[in-house]
Amino acid sequence: MAAAATARKCLGVDCPNEAGNLRCPTCLKMGTDSFFCSQDCFKRNWATHKVIHKTKTTGLYNPFPNYPFTGSLRPVYPLSPRRHVPASIQRPDYAEDGIPRSERKFIGRHNITILSKEEQEAMRKVCRLAREVLDIAAREVRPGVTTDYIDEVVHKACIERNTYPSPLNYMHFPISVCTSINETICHGIPDQRPLEDGDIINIDVSLYYGGFHGDLNETYYVGDKAKANPDAVRVVETARECLEQAIQIVKPGMLFREPGNVIEKHAKSRNCSVVKSYCGHGVNQLFHTTPNIPHYAKNKAVGSAKPGICFTIEPMINLGTHKDKLWPDDWTSVTADGKLSAQFEHTLLVTEDGVEVLTARLPDSPGGPVPMPEVSSATPA
Ligand code: MF3
Ligand code: CO
């Protein structure tokens, strides 16, 4: 076939012109070529065009360059390819096709699983392993480390313990752990962004072992926590205390609508808000099941705690608005005003006379509280 001389198009966004002889000098230096119709068009497109220079040298890029981000955090792609889980490790039903069928079959908000003694023991086991994995990951938190590396550490620690990392392919979630930085409320996807001094990061670890899931998370200060920004300390410590205070009231007969009242009262006393879009949940043979436990006050959750049931409490506390927004990756939930958000989560077992924290901290667990700043920002500005 005869080579028809196809007219080269100008690279300017929405520019209808054919390309002239103007070539980007930076691209030329890098051994590639890009043509524009005119100096004027090149200038107008510089801000968007120059991004590909960085992409070409580092391979890193923002997959949503035109999305109106609410804060300063950006995704840094590419994501790592899906990590391998050996066939010898027992998998949940969604591991292959991303659909948690057993969760969908278990319907009805009055339908709450009471675990036998053996099943409770299995929950103790997986939750203890989940705590070990979270602690291993948290020891890697420092400036310069990427969340992708933290995911690698979590994934390997899961495999070493013959456990399946529950998030992997749950509703098609691509990675083995959630890492939520600064204004991220939850479900952040580990990527190539290095942690920065002064960031806060939540690591949310869930494991599947012996047919049961364990689920916990904590928020950590990146860099010297004694030098953390007072607002960061306020939101992180408030979230930590909200979870502690909610656990205090758990015992048989506790109404599932009660923790939200305790949590919101404390959050408000610190001039913080409570996220409404994500709730605590039953956790057992299913990753997410009944009961549903909202973290906000005056909620209408149905039912009450009984010995032998397992659920999480996992309040997400914000410095500013409680409202959330989703990134176009359909997972990352961020605050609508771009201000900080923090979260803590435990898996709980209701006992005959109270509660057992199955994911409790160990004597050597990293992280832990820092003193609240002297001057409370609850003071009017
Ligand atoms: N671990 C989270 C929770 O606390 C859920 C993560 S699901 C995922 O409920 F798919 F996003 F990983
Ligand atoms: Co959870």
Side-chain angles (χ1 to χ4, degrees):
M1 198 157 84
T6 34
R8 223 172 9 225
K9 257 199 87 266
C10 171
L11 277 182
V13 177
D14 292 334
C15 177
N17 298 338
E18 285 181 20
N21 288 327
L22 187 91
R23 308 155 87 171
C24 168
T26 315
C27 284
L28 269 180
K29 263 188 239 153
M30 297 194 316
T32 55
D33 228 354
S34 43
F35 292 82
F36 291 86
C37 64
S38 62
Q39 183 71 35
D40 188 48
C41 200
F42 181 50
K43 267 196 192 150
R44 258 187 288 118
N45 283 280
W46 176 245
T48 27
H49 173 72
K50 69 175 183 199
V51 176
I52 73 169
H53 301 148
K54 217 172 161 191
T55 303
K56 279 181 183 153
T57 46
T58 66
L60 303 177
Y61 64 99
N62 173 355
F64 316 116
N66 300 318
Y67 176 76
F69 289 92
T70 64
S72 57
L73 188 73
R74 296 289 179 277
V76 181
Y77 278 39
L79 302 181
S80 279
R82 184 162 164 189
R83 297 187 200 275
H84 176 70
V85 180
S88 56
I89 291 178
Q90 187 186 350
R91 296 155 180 261
D93 65 348
Y94 53 80
E96 312 309 324
D97 69 356
I99 304 167
R101 291 172 205 281
S102 48
E103 282 184 7
R104 293 187 181 178
K105 269 187 276 165
F106 191 91
I107 300 291
R109 54 189 187 175
H110 301 285
N111 201 356
I112 297 177
T113 299
I114 295 180
L115 300 175
S116 68
K117 290 292 167 212
E118 293 71 35
E119 291 168 333
Q120 293 174 23
E121 204 45 52
M123 281 300 293
R124 273 188 199 99
K125 177 73 188 171
V126 67
C127 286
R128 162 69 194 230
L129 293 171
R131 163 54 67 182
E132 288 176 17
V133 172
L134 176 64
D135 287 358
I136 288 168
R139 288 189 187 100
E140 300 298 329
V141 169
R142 73 185 79 90
V145 164
T146 65
T147 44
D148 177 64
Y149 176 72
I150 291 174
D151 173 60
E152 183 184 334
V153 168
V154 166
H155 189 86
K156 286 186 175 155
C158 287
I159 302 307
E160 277 169 16
R161 287 163 179 74
N162 283 309
T163 69
Y164 183 94
S166 304
L168 187 59
N169 213 25
Y170 179 78
M171 313 262 267
H172 301 107
F173 190 78
I175 313 284
S176 300
V177 62
C178 299
T179 52
S180 301
I181 296 170
N182 297 344
E183 67 264 34
T184 309
I185 293 169
C186 63
H187 300 166
I189 299 175
D191 67 15
Q192 311 305 329
R193 178 189 178 277
L195 294 176
E196 294 173 13
D197 196 1
D199 282 346
I200 58 172
I201 177 177
N202 178 279
I203 307 181
D204 190 336
V205 165
S206 317
L207 266 57
Y208 184 68
Y209 182 76
F212 291 81
H213 296 270
D215 189 6
L216 82 162
N217 71 54
E218 290 199 26
T219 301
Y220 303 92
Y221 301 95
V222 180
D224 186 353
K225 65 181 183 180
K227 292 190 192 134
N229 172 305
D231 278 339
V233 175
R234 178 160 58 93
V235 72
V236 171
E237 298 311 320
T238 302
R240 191 192 316 270
E241 293 163 6
C242 282
L243 174 57
E244 281 166 8
Q245 293 188 16
I247 292 171
Q248 292 287 321
I249 66 166
V250 178
K251 60 175 187 201
M254 178 204 72
L255 303 174
F256 293 133
R257 61 171 193 247
E258 274 303 316
N261 296 328
V262 172
I263 290 164
E264 187 161 322
K265 184 167 183 230
H266 188 56
K268 275 193 170 160
S269 80
R270 291 276 176 72
N271 207 15
C272 290
S273 64
V274 179
V275 172
K276 298 189 177 192
S277 299
Y278 302 91
C279 298
H281 52 91
V283 57
N284 42 53
Q285 292 95 332
L286 303 175
F287 190 5
H288 297 102
T289 185
T290 52
N292 185 51
I293 319 246
H295 303 115
Y296 54 91
K298 297 183 185 144
N299 68 75
K300 301 204 165 11
V302 181
S304 62
K306 289 168 189 56
I309 73 168
C310 280
F311 59 87
T312 73
I313 303 182
E314 47 184 303
M316 286 141 273
I317 305 298
N318 298 351
L319 270 186
T321 180
H322 75 272
K323 292 202 176 111
D324 56 295
K325 225 188 128 183
L326 207 56
W327 278 7
D329 60 20
D330 280 343
W331 278 107
T332 310
S333 170
V334 295
T335 56
D337 57 9
K339 294 185 181 170
L340 295 179
S341 182
Q343 181 184 23
F344 288 81
E345 172 178 32
H346 276 305
T347 296
L348 309 171
L349 167 67
V350 182
T351 59
E352 292 300 327
D353 57 356
V355 60
E356 194 176 318
V357 181
L358 301 183
T359 46
R361 289 170 59 81
L362 303 171
D364 66 341
S365 289
V370 311
M372 277 287 291
E374 294 272 322
V375 186
S376 154
S377 345
T379 331

